[in-house]
Amino acid sequence: MIILIAISFTVAILRELTIFNILIRSTTNIHKEMARRIVRAKVVFFDSNPIGRILTRFSKDMAVLDLIVPSTSVLVSYGIFRTISVTVALCIINYWLLIPLLFVLIYFIYVMKRASQAMVEAQRLDSIVRGPIHSLFAMVV
């Protein structure tokens, strides 16, 4: 029993280390690509977009990638694997549960499509609201 607990603990630690390693590499690559594109942008881009909006977008994207995505991805991986294992166990016990499971899956996809539109709009509004604050900060510095 203790050996199974140790194996489970080791696998969980390895999974989290793998996720964090992948996320650190991807964050670094995204930051390099964002910086490269900003440096190589044409002057028209800076004329049409205030510096505050550019700074807000850059800092917000990096903050999300550095702070929110790692912890969320670990929780999501736990949730996905737990959901799959419970679903398989229930369907083995009673195969008639596949029928309501299909309806729940269809409803879940519908809700996710509707919610993604609202999330994109909320992010856009957040970027617009924070823009003047970063413009003022950039001018003061």
Side-chain angles (χ1 to χ4, degrees):
M1 185 68 169
I2 294 175
I3 295 172
L4 290 176
I5 292 172
I7 290 172
S8 175
F9 182 75
T10 305
V11 168
I13 294 293
L14 286 174
R15 179 177 55 202
E16 289 185 22
L17 288 174
T18 303
I19 288 172
F20 282 117
N21 190 15
I22 290 169
L23 290 173
I24 286 172
R25 282 192 210 159
S26 64
T27 301
T28 303
N29 291 339
I30 289 173
H31 185 270
K32 285 179 184 177
E33 183 64 23
M34 286 171 60
R36 186 184 69 78
R37 291 199 181 204
I38 289 292
V39 168
R40 295 181 188 265
K42 296 181 180 178
V43 176
V44 176
F45 173 75
F46 295 104
D47 288 341
S48 62
N49 292 313
I51 191 70
R53 187 178 302 160
I54 297 169
L55 184 63
T56 301
R57 183 63 187 221
F58 201 86
S59 62
K60 176 127 173 135
D61 289 348
M62 293 314 299
V64 166
L65 287 173
D66 288 338
L67 302 174
I68 296 172
V69 172
S71 59
T72 305
S73 62
V74 171
L75 292 175
V76 167
S77 70
Y78 281 132
I80 287 172
F81 289 126
R82 186 170 187 178
T83 302
I84 290 171
S85 62
V86 168
T87 303
V88 168
L90 285 175
C91 290
I92 289 172
I93 293 171
N94 186 358
Y95 61 88
W96 288 105
L97 289 174
L98 286 172
I99 296 170
L101 180 67
L102 181 67
F103 288 117
V104 168
L105 185 64
I106 292 170
Y107 181 69
F108 179 73
I109 292 171
Y110 169 76
V111 168
M112 286 305 295
K113 283 185 180 179
R114 295 290 302 236
S116 65
Q117 295 168 355
M119 287 187 284
V120 167
E121 185 67 21
Q123 289 291 326
R124 187 184 67 76
L125 291 174
D126 184 49
S127 174
I128 290 172
V129 168
R130 289 187 188 205
I133 295 169
H134 288 290
S135 290
L136 178 65
F137 181 72
M139 285 181 180
V140 168
V141 170

